[in-house]
Amino acid sequence: MLSFDFATMRQGYGSGEVRPTEIAREVLARIAACGNNGVWISLVDPDRLLAAAASLEERAAAVGTDALPLFGLPFAVKDNIDVGGLPTTAACPGFSRFAVRSAPVVERLIAAGALLIGKTNLDQFATGLTGTRSPYGIPRNPFDPAYIPGGSSSGSAVAVSTGLVAFALGTDTAGSGRVPASFNNIVGLKPTRGLISAAGVVPACRSLDCVSIFALTVQDAAAVHEVAWALDPGDPYSRRAPAGFGAFGAMPPRFAFGVLPDSEREFFGDEDGPALYEAAIARLVRIGGEAVTIDFAPFRDAASLVYRGAWLAERLAAIDDAVGGCREMLLPVTREIIERGTTIRGAGVFRDFDRLTAARGEVAAVWRQIDLLLVPTTGTTYKIAEIEANPVALNENLGRYTNFVNPLDLAAVAFPNGFRRNGLPDGVTLVGPAFHDLLLAAIGARFQQETGLPLGATGAPLPRPEPRRRSNFPYLPIAVVGAHLSGEPLNGELLALGARKRRTARTSGDYRLYALPDGKRPGLVRGAGGAPIEVEIWDMPTGNIGAFLAGIAPPLGLGTVILERGEPVHGFLCEAHCISDARDITAYGGWRA
């Protein structure tokens, strides 16, 4: 069976072995072979699908596939996101309405050459993490149908895992774009809130909602993200990406990642959970990470607000608006959850805002120690029968490591980590500050390559990563050689701008170092007859580079410095015409000496 990972698909299209019309027929055949597996709520009419595929072939012939970055990739959309010509149900038949226009994110994907297949099942009004709260059935977990598929984006995750589509859109308010990824051995990318427009999405909790992406690999999810994000005036929560932002970052040679203290590692009786989490920590260390134990309390405090505080009242308001206050059309468990919001009053809302603001301040201090946080995506999983017997409490367990992400305005990517002894997949999640999406993708992609795990439930091997344009955002490595070294007089300028020391290094052997006439600063100049010079590499937040550059006094400036093994970084250099009266101190090998 042809794997729908992007690398394999592009190879097939590039060689002419397959065409979009053939892929459309293949998808229809796979869906028919699966029977009623609870994945789909509605499908694009087969004739309409084949016509769209044929039209796509004509577009590619006219403009070339390079102009269509998602050319011929079949995809699905969670059924709380509008698709023109199909109903939007949010898994509530009484709410169902016909969508005249597709959500902007869907339009962007189709314009980029993606091939829409249909709308997928979900927990009603995206309220739940189990994937069992739908009148349209329960999507079958492909690893064991006795177990939950995860929600709320259950159908989207199963469609990707079983090879029915190449990628799928979900939504994520409290973990709905990450939990199903873990239970289906796939990737779930939860972008910075507001990067992808949520216009055309039935709101669950509008201030927290994000459109998320499911794919077989981190690199595939990032490729979709690159097409999907855009500022949208029609979405009041939309945000512009900062200058230099990209979907895929450069893999840093060193990084610090947070890990949970032993007292916060809750696996709810899952005997495999602790070892799988430790294995993930060890894997990150092997690829250049330094594990730092962090205080999880502020994250946990923010998580508690999602279903017990002001944001539950927001969810109640959103769903009441959708159903016109007619809660009788809701499933009993959905209604039970949202009606807790009726007890929340105005004073309580403002107290919760204060609690969240305090938690954000405490979390900001944590980010000064680490670049990202590694958590289990979930502590455990459950059988469908267990969820049916105790639907609310067990659902809360599933959100322990996901609920805090959106209230704290963080980005996250969930990806496969291994398998339990019972054959069920386990996943972990990398979490970072807003707009760190590309750093998470770079490290997550490297992590996934290290695992070597097969793709979803298809058994297809993990492909080799494709070459991609990479951005240095959110950090730019800066080589410092003199007064900005740690402990020296100007080092405070780096710290004030949020820079973090990564390592000590040496330049290539063709640099000379001079003590400038002011006696306070050295000048680094590249030329023949030099020697390796000791430097420190500091990562500077990209947005602060201008402020840093403005404070550098001539004849010094920033340029390209070549390190000992040929690695180029930005760093301090001196104008060569200013060294005639300077003392040559190259023999010392560095400013400290």
Side-chain angles (χ1 to χ4, degrees):
M1 184 174 76
L2 176 70
S3 174
F4 282 169
D5 67 88
F6 291 15
T8 300
M9 292 288 286
R10 285 174 178 148
Q11 182 179 359
Y13 284 135
S15 66
E17 294 178 9
V18 294
R19 296 182 301 140
T21 48
E22 294 168 352
I23 292 299
R25 291 188 182 94
E26 173 67 16
V27 170
L28 291 172
R30 291 184 188 185
I31 292 172
C34 288
N36 183 17
N37 62 352
V39 168
W40 304 98
I41 291 181
S42 62
L43 289 164
V44 173
D45 178 80
D47 290 339
R48 178 181 164 192
L49 174 61
L50 291 169
S55 175
L56 182 58
E57 292 174 7
E58 294 174 2
R59 286 175 61 198
V63 303
T65 56
D66 288 346
L68 302 169
L70 302 181
F71 175 70
L73 297 173
F75 79 106
V77 174
K78 184 177 180 179
D79 197 22
N80 61 341
I81 303 173
D82 284 345
V83 169
L86 292 176
T88 300
T89 71
C92 180
F95 163 77
S96 180
R97 55 177 170 76
F98 185 82
V100 176
R101 178 189 170 185
S102 295
V105 62
V106 176
E107 292 178 341
R108 292 184 65 82
L109 300 177
I110 293 174
L115 197 59
L116 178 66
I117 304 301
K119 308 286 293 293
T120 53
N121 204 352
L122 67 153
D123 282 325
Q124 190 173 74
F125 285 107
T127 300
L129 296 173
T130 67
T132 63
R133 300 172 177 176
S134 172
Y136 297 96
I138 299 173
R140 289 200 297 270
N141 184 313
F143 294 93
D144 188 336
Y147 281 81
I148 60 176
S152 62
S153 309
S154 52
S156 288
V158 174
V160 171
S161 180
T162 53
L164 301 180
V165 292
F167 70 93
L169 295 184
T171 59
D172 190 307
T173 305
S176 295
R178 290 161 279 154
V179 171
S182 178
F183 294 166
N184 286 275
N185 194 43
I186 61 171
V187 171
L189 188 154
K190 202 296 298 181
T192 294
R193 180 178 53 79
L195 270 182
I196 299 178
S197 172
V201 176
V202 179
C205 194
R206 197 184 298 274
S207 67
L208 303 181
D209 291 343
C210 297
V211 174
S212 65
I213 300 163
F214 294 103
L216 293 168
T217 73
V218 175
Q219 195 171 41
D220 291 355
V224 177
H225 189 203
E226 192 163 33
V227 170
W229 92 64
L231 183 68
D232 179 13
D235 174 8
Y237 289 94
S238 180
R239 289 195 277 185
R240 188 185 303 277
F245 184 81
F248 208 79
M251 178 65 192
R254 299 284 187 275
F255 58 93
F257 67 98
V259 298
L260 301 171
D262 290 343
S263 60
E264 295 283 5
R265 298 185 185 185
E266 176 59 74
F267 296 98
F268 308 100
D270 191 319
E271 295 180 355
D272 295 321
L276 286 164
Y277 184 52
E278 284 292 346
I281 294 171
R283 193 171 287 120
L284 272 186
V285 170
R286 285 199 299 273
I287 63 176
E290 175 192 358
V292 178
T293 301
I294 57 103
D295 178 10
F296 190 64
F299 296 91
R300 182 164 28 83
D301 193 41
S304 69
L305 298 173
V306 174
Y307 278 105
R308 298 183 185 276
W311 288 268
L312 182 56
E314 184 182 11
R315 187 181 291 265
L316 170 67
I319 295 178
D320 263 355
D321 286 348
V323 300
C326 185
R327 298 176 194 161
E328 292 76 14
M329 68 174 64
L330 302 176
L331 294 174
V333 65
T334 310
R335 182 173 178 177
E336 176 187 349
I337 290 166
I338 68 164
E339 285 187 341
R340 293 177 177 180
T342 60
T343 64
I344 298 170
R345 298 290 181 263
V349 169
F350 283 98
R351 291 189 190 101
D352 288 342
F353 284 170
D354 288 343
R355 282 181 60 192
L356 181 58
T357 300
R360 284 178 171 172
E362 294 175 47
V363 166
V366 175
W367 294 127
R368 286 193 285 272
Q369 307 170 48
I370 60 175
D371 300 293
L372 45 92
L373 171 65
L374 176 72
V375 293
T377 303
T378 66
T380 189
T381 186
Y382 296 107
K383 291 183 176 180
I384 294 172
E386 293 174 303
I387 290 292
E388 289 175 345
N390 192 2
V392 176
L394 298 190
N395 188 89
E396 289 181 357
N397 291 349
L398 295 176
R400 177 179 177 86
Y401 303 118
T402 63
N403 286 354
F404 63 83
V405 170
N406 291 14
L408 291 174
D409 194 19
L410 308 177
V413 59
F415 40 81
N417 180 47
F419 284 85
R420 298 176 174 84
R421 285 171 290 182
N422 62 6
L424 294 174
D426 171 76
V428 290
T429 298
L430 287 177
V431 182
F435 302 113
H436 281 51
D437 310 52
L438 71 177
L439 181 64
L440 298 176
I443 297 173
R446 178 68 179 276
F447 183 104
Q448 188 178 18
Q449 286 293 321
E450 287 289 315
T451 68
L453 292 170
L455 301 177
T458 67
L462 186 68
R464 293 175 61 86
E466 295 180 289
R468 286 187 55 83
R469 179 176 58 85
R470 297 168 184 259
S471 168
N472 278 318
F473 188 92
Y475 303 116
L476 187 70
I478 302 289
V480 301
V481 68
H484 285 89
L485 293 166
S486 52
E488 295 295 318
L490 298 183
N491 183 247
E493 293 181 3
L494 291 174
L495 297 174
L497 291 171
R500 183 179 298 137
K501 181 184 174 182
R502 295 301 186 186
R503 55 192 165 118
T504 299
R506 297 200 307 172
T507 69
S508 61
D510 51 354
Y511 283 89
R512 302 199 70 83
L513 190 66
Y514 297 87
L516 298 181
D518 63 14
K520 299 178 182 179
R521 299 177 298 164
L524 186 68
V525 178
R526 191 177 188 187
I533 303 298
E534 185 176 281
V535 297
E536 288 179 353
I537 309 300
W538 286 70
D539 272 356
M540 172 73 70
T542 306
N544 294 341
I545 293 295
F548 181 57
L549 184 61
I552 300 174
L556 302 185
L558 293 183
T560 300
V561 175
I562 307 301
L563 300 184
E564 205 164 26
R565 296 182 180 179
E567 176 190 355
V569 297
H570 289 81
F572 279 88
L573 291 172
C574 180
E575 297 178 49
H577 69 86
C578 296
I579 61 174
S580 57
D581 297 329
R583 175 187 171 196
D584 190 330
I585 58 171
T586 304
Y588 287 92
W591 180 246
R592 292 189 192 280

